[in-house]
Amino acid sequence: MCKLEFNELLSLIFGKKIEETTGEVVENTITETECPTPSEKPLEIIEIEMKNVVICLDNGHGDNTPGKCSPWSACKVPPELPFREYAYTRELVKMLTPVLEEEGYEVYQVVPEEYDVTLAERCSRINKKVKQAAAEGKHSLMISIHNNAAGNGREWKKAYGWSVWTTRGQNNSDKLAQCLYDAAVEVLTPLGQKTRKDRSDGDDDYEAGFYITKGSNCPAVLVENMFQDCIDEVKWMLTDEGKQALVEIHRRGINKFVEMMNW
Ligand SMILES: [Zn+2]
């Protein structure tokens, strides 16, 4: 840490030095070795245009939830790929939050705790936030971030692919899901990764009666970010490329939806 006198500070900001006795301005004579400081670079001011949208990010389960992990983490079935859904989804939410904030969204982390929080409590937190946002003239949406599994975690399975889920019937949640699905195809295809879809009701999302999507008073979807019991997918999900790609799907999908809704 280097202590700066007022004059030195001025000289760093303006590249000039004010002579103490005469008040004359002289060229900056401070060299890097005397005081290497990052403030010699001009300050960059990044302006973020705030959007009137709150993104509620839910992350699945908790450190006290049994199962919900790779067969290696459950019972040491090789290959050695440690993976727990509660931890991975929290990591994704932590990575996604500043990315969305930089896009101008307000982000609300529904479960900052490491342990599991009941679905009723999660919905109550979400709806409180949605209500508060509406009172401030803001729109809201909710994404519950999970990983899929084909079995009970005791053996590696063959199922693969990213997917998105809504409640039954058509509403704005289906639009949000379609935007996320389209983003997933764009992001994953060039990386050789796959999505899975259900075209039976005319769109690409799956539909189910999940508590969290049914109980949220805003466009709400649940995303299954690949399979935690598929060897190839877990290998990929643990890489930087995998994590960045999953974050990018959410960023791009949310932007598409917000634009479509004219929010
Ligand atoms: Zn889950």
Side-chain angles (χ1 to χ4, degrees), residues 60-61 68 85 145-148 224 228:
H61 319 291
K68 309 282 179 195
E85 183 177 356
I145 296 184
H146 283 250
N147 304 112
N148 217 337
E224 297 281 22
Q228 58 193 307

Side-chain angles (χ1 to χ4, degrees), residues 34-46:
E34 279 178 279
C35 182
T37 162
S39 63
E40 284 174 34
K41 283 185 186 168
L43 287 176
E44 265 182 66
I45 297 167
I46 302 162

Side-chain angles (χ1 to χ4, degrees), residues 127-157:
N127 292 334
K128 208 189 241 177
K129 188 68 198 176
V130 170
K131 202 172 165 188
Q132 184 199 328
E136 291 167 7
K138 293 178 186 168
H139 302 280
S140 301
L141 62 86
M142 194 287 295
I143 301 182
S144 185
I145 296 184
H146 283 250
N147 304 112
N148 217 337
N152 56 13
R154 296 210 175 86
E155 52 186 341
W156 294 100
K157 294 282 192 180

